Amino acid sequence: MGRVQDKIAVISGGAVGIGAASAGLLAREGASVVVTDINDSAGEETAAAIRTDGGEALYLHHDVTDEQQWESVYATAVERYGRVDIVVNNAGLGIGGAPEDQTLEDWRKLMAVNLDAIFLGTKHALRTMKAHKPATGGSIINLSSIEGIVGDPNLGAYNASKGGVRLYTKSVALYCGTNGLGIRVNSIHPGYIWTPMVENYLASVGDVAEGRKVLDAMHPIGHVGEPDDIAYGVLYLASDESKFVTGAELVIDGGYTAQ
């Protein structure tokens, strides 16, 4: 216990799924957590559950595509807790379809949430961490995907957004390292995780139960993952245990990309 004791974490898209699991685990390991999302009811529930368990959590409404809201989130975190040590850029959107059928509107919407928001969250994390030094160094964790490593015939825009997250993360990690900022920047690449986003995607293209069977079979380990599988990776990268890890890709995918 106490792997991130007294650290301050900001988690976007923290209301449900991977974000909620990460928020809960970081809190159990001693962090104070700022949960942000546009799903206010679920976000408030996630923060309340953490407090009920004896942790410290605050929920903030947050559209990750709005730069001023990012500035406000970090300002509120600093006002309440004094600094930010950990940022988990987790908010994401999934839109699929054949490339000739995908609309420019959908492309731009997906890029705004999956890639622009990573840029904004990272940009203002760096500004905040430079102004209010993390106690033992900062950690920025960007959620990419297996789809940022390998292609999918019906997820071209999603592939592009998550591939962008992968390389942007490496660039910022190099910048922070070569400039002696004491901030590590890494990406996590989940396989299919049973979250509302995945369930909603399956519902949009067919039968959810049958879709899950297909997804299970795509992973050599025999099943899709659970949010906690990714949350434990977040915890590792957030903790001082990973003090020599930056610019890395943590793949947690049940063997999907090993094929």
Side-chain angles (χ1 to χ4, degrees):
M1 299 296 290
R3 293 169 66 187
V4 286
Q5 190 67 41
D6 300 324
K7 291 183 181 289
I8 313 303
V10 173
I11 303 177
S12 72
V16 297
I18 291 170
S22 299
L25 184 56
L26 290 175
R28 290 195 296 275
E29 291 290 340
S32 297
V33 180
V34 179
V35 176
T36 84
D37 211 294
I38 57 171
N39 186 340
D40 294 333
S41 59
E44 292 283 9
E45 288 177 7
T46 295
I50 289 171
R51 293 192 295 268
T52 298
D53 287 343
E56 172 61 31
L58 168 69
Y59 172 73
L60 298 174
H61 179 86
H62 180 202
D63 176 354
V64 293
T65 67
D66 186 320
E67 184 162 16
Q68 289 185 334
Q69 290 191 33
W70 273 109
E71 293 175 303
S72 178
V73 163
Y74 287 126
T76 300
V78 169
E79 180 181 1
R80 180 151 178 168
Y81 300 113
R83 66 180 191 277
V84 173
D85 303 291
I86 302 158
V87 171
V88 185
N89 283 313
N90 167 73
L93 179 66
I95 300 175
E100 70 268 31
D101 296 328
Q102 195 150 44
T103 66
L104 183 59
E105 180 184 9
D106 279 349
W107 173 279
R108 287 175 172 166
K109 180 180 179 181
L110 190 146
M111 292 299 169
V113 175
N114 287 5
L115 189 53
D116 295 356
I118 297 283
F119 158 69
L120 293 173
T122 300
K123 170 184 174 179
H124 290 287
L126 294 180
R127 290 185 173 186
T128 302
M129 290 176 179
K130 288 171 73 175
H132 308 276
K133 297 290 186 183
T136 58
S139 177
I140 299 173
I141 303 161
N142 294 329
L143 268 291
S144 180
S145 170
I146 52 172
E147 305 296 349
I149 300 173
V150 297
D152 184 293
N154 290 304
L155 291 174
Y158 191 79
N159 284 140
S161 70
K162 293 301 186 177
V165 171
R166 174 176 175 263
L167 279 182
Y168 179 70
T169 297
K170 293 181 182 299
S171 174
V172 179
L174 292 173
Y175 168 80
C176 291
T178 56
N179 285 278
L181 299 185
I183 302 169
R184 298 179 297 103
V185 192
N186 295 285
S187 57
I188 292 181
H189 299 258
Y192 282 91
I193 307 299
W194 196 248
T195 63
M197 186 176 79
V198 169
E199 189 171 357
N200 290 338
Y201 171 71
L202 291 178
S204 73
V205 297
D207 181 80
V208 173
E210 288 303 312
R212 178 159 186 168
K213 291 178 183 178
V214 172
L215 293 185
D216 285 341
M218 291 166 63
H219 298 76
I221 207 166
H223 57 83
V224 298
E226 299 175 352
D228 275 350
D229 294 324
I230 309 307
Y232 279 106
V234 169
L235 175 61
Y236 168 67
L237 292 176
S239 76
D240 294 340
E241 298 161 13
S242 58
K243 62 184 176 60
F244 195 55
V245 180
T246 195
E249 306 165 16
L250 179 54
V251 180
I252 308 173
D253 70 350
Y256 186 104
T257 57
Q259 300 175 94

